[in-house]
Amino acid sequence: MKTPLLARASGSDPLLDWFETESFVDGSDGPRRRLFMPTSPEFHMKRLLAAGWGDVWQLTSGFRNGDRGASHLEEFSILEWYRVGWSDERLMDEVLEICALALGKERTAGAKKTTYAEAFERFAQCDPFDPRGVTAPTPEGRALFEETCRRAGVAAPECDGDERLHWLHGTVVAPRLGAGGPEFLVEWPAPQAALAKIERDSRGRLVGRRFELYVRGVELCNGYQELTDAAEQRRRFDEEAGQRRALGKRPGVRDDEFLAALDAGMPECAGVALGLDRLVMLALGIDDIERAVPFVD
């Protein structure tokens, strides 16, 4: 099973940029249609779930424009799969089983789960859920963000709201996760789990059923207890489109066929995307992802 590498709709995450091109519909002088190289095959695979395929998996490429670094490639290899009727907890266990094939059981044993709030309190000394904290759109919020960055020894860029959490997560929190063994980061803020089910945690805060696995500061996977409510997904897409406009980014194209599939009924499921290039990087004990792939352009 293979899903398209040229899609008629874009992704939805306002903080990701995609590659796009144009199709000459009726020759080079005719109308043109925007096409996108998917950041993930997620929407197409969920359409298969809604069509009754049952469990689905795929080894494919993902694309993210401008995403280049020691652990990032603009074109990367991912193993993505969905389990019908599974919980995210059960899927985390399977993720560890697959990672053990490359890293060895001794390096994937004793995995622990840390909530997003716990990780921020431990490494950034701040509460990411406090509306009067580092994300507050006030001079006090900006000052708290700058102080948090100063304590952590990182720069404080010009950004607002949830972007500040993304910055702190990427520069302060994530590099410290999984230092003593595999560590799942769970119970994410709802705005950062746009494709996941939302629930209330033990303190009554809205959190997303999203998880990421870290080993030695490297994020290996991103998974969800998948959202199946079409109306809620539409609302979140509209919200993300507004965030994209606020950031001054070119709007994407909403995947209405994916939403129609949700309307038709997608089964309860859990899904995950595992970065194979990063897994190879960890298995080989190297710290540059470009050395984990045969070709780099």
Side-chain angles (χ1 to χ4, degrees), residues 18-93:
W18 47 72
F19 291 96
E20 64 175 278
T21 187
E22 290 182 329
S23 169
F24 300 150
V25 179
D26 296 312
S28 59
D29 294 328
R32 302 185 181 189
R33 183 179 66 179
R34 291 172 75 188
L35 291 173
F36 303 87
M37 302 182 77
T39 58
S40 161
E42 181 167 2
F43 295 164
H44 285 97
M45 294 183 76
K46 287 181 176 178
R47 285 165 60 185
L48 295 176
L49 290 169
W53 279 52
D55 294 346
V56 291
W57 68 274
Q58 182 175 192
L59 175 58
T60 187
S61 292
F63 304 89
R64 293 182 182 178
N65 200 346
D67 207 358
R68 197 77 176 237
S71 61
H72 294 80
L73 292 170
E74 291 168 312
E75 178 182 356
F76 53 95
S77 298
I78 52 176
L79 174 63
E80 186 155 334
W81 73 100
Y82 295 82
R83 291 289 200 176
V84 175
W86 281 34
S87 69
D88 48 354
E89 295 282 341
R90 186 177 178 188
L91 189 58
M92 284 185 244
D93 291 338

Side-chain angles (χ1 to χ4, degrees), residues 28-228:
S28 59
D29 294 328
R32 302 185 181 189
R33 183 179 66 179
R34 291 172 75 188
L35 291 173
F36 303 87
M37 302 182 77
T39 58
S40 161
E42 181 167 2
F43 295 164
H44 285 97
M45 294 183 76
K46 287 181 176 178
R47 285 165 60 185
L48 295 176
L49 290 169
W53 279 52
D55 294 346
V56 291
W57 68 274
Q58 182 175 192
L59 175 58
T60 187
S61 292
F63 304 89
R64 293 182 182 178
N65 200 346
D67 207 358
R68 197 77 176 237
S71 61
H72 294 80
L73 292 170
E74 291 168 312
E75 178 182 356
F76 53 95
S77 298
I78 52 176
L79 174 63
E80 186 155 334
W81 73 100
Y82 295 82
R83 291 289 200 176
V84 175
W86 281 34
S87 69
D88 48 354
E89 295 282 341
R90 186 177 178 188
L91 189 58
M92 284 185 244
D93 291 338
E94 186 170 58
V95 167
L96 287 174
E97 291 175 11
I98 291 175
C99 290
L101 298 176
L103 304 179
K105 290 185 178 180
E106 68 283 352
R107 294 180 64 187
T108 55
K112 65 179 181 179
K113 296 181 178 69
T114 301
T115 69
Y116 191 96
E118 290 169 344
F120 267 71
E121 288 161 2
R122 187 196 318 165
F123 299 120
Q125 289 82 55
C126 70
D127 179 358
F129 289 92
D130 185 356
R132 296 171 297 179
V134 295
T135 62
T138 61
E140 292 78 12
R142 176 67 194 182
L144 282 171
F145 175 61
E146 291 177 349
E147 173 60 18
T148 300
C149 290
R150 186 196 63 77
R151 285 198 309 266
V154 299
E158 286 297 328
C159 58
D160 296 303
D162 209 48
E163 288 180 86
R164 295 175 183 171
L165 295 184
H166 282 283
W167 174 257
L168 291 171
H169 176 257
T171 60
V172 179
V173 177
R176 294 168 170 82
L177 293 171
E183 186 170 6
F184 285 103
L185 191 64
V186 299
E187 295 188 9
W188 289 63
Q192 296 187 39
L195 294 161
K197 285 187 177 293
I198 305 298
E199 62 185 18
R200 293 198 179 272
D201 67 5
S202 59
R203 294 174 59 180
R205 301 173 297 197
L206 288 173
V207 296
R209 297 268 300 268
R210 173 184 179 183
F211 65 86
E212 289 186 346
L213 174 62
Y214 289 84
V215 176
R216 295 200 343 248
V218 176
E219 175 208 331
L220 283 176
C221 77
N222 184 29
Y224 304 105
Q225 188 72 44
E226 302 292 348
L227 177 66
T228 58

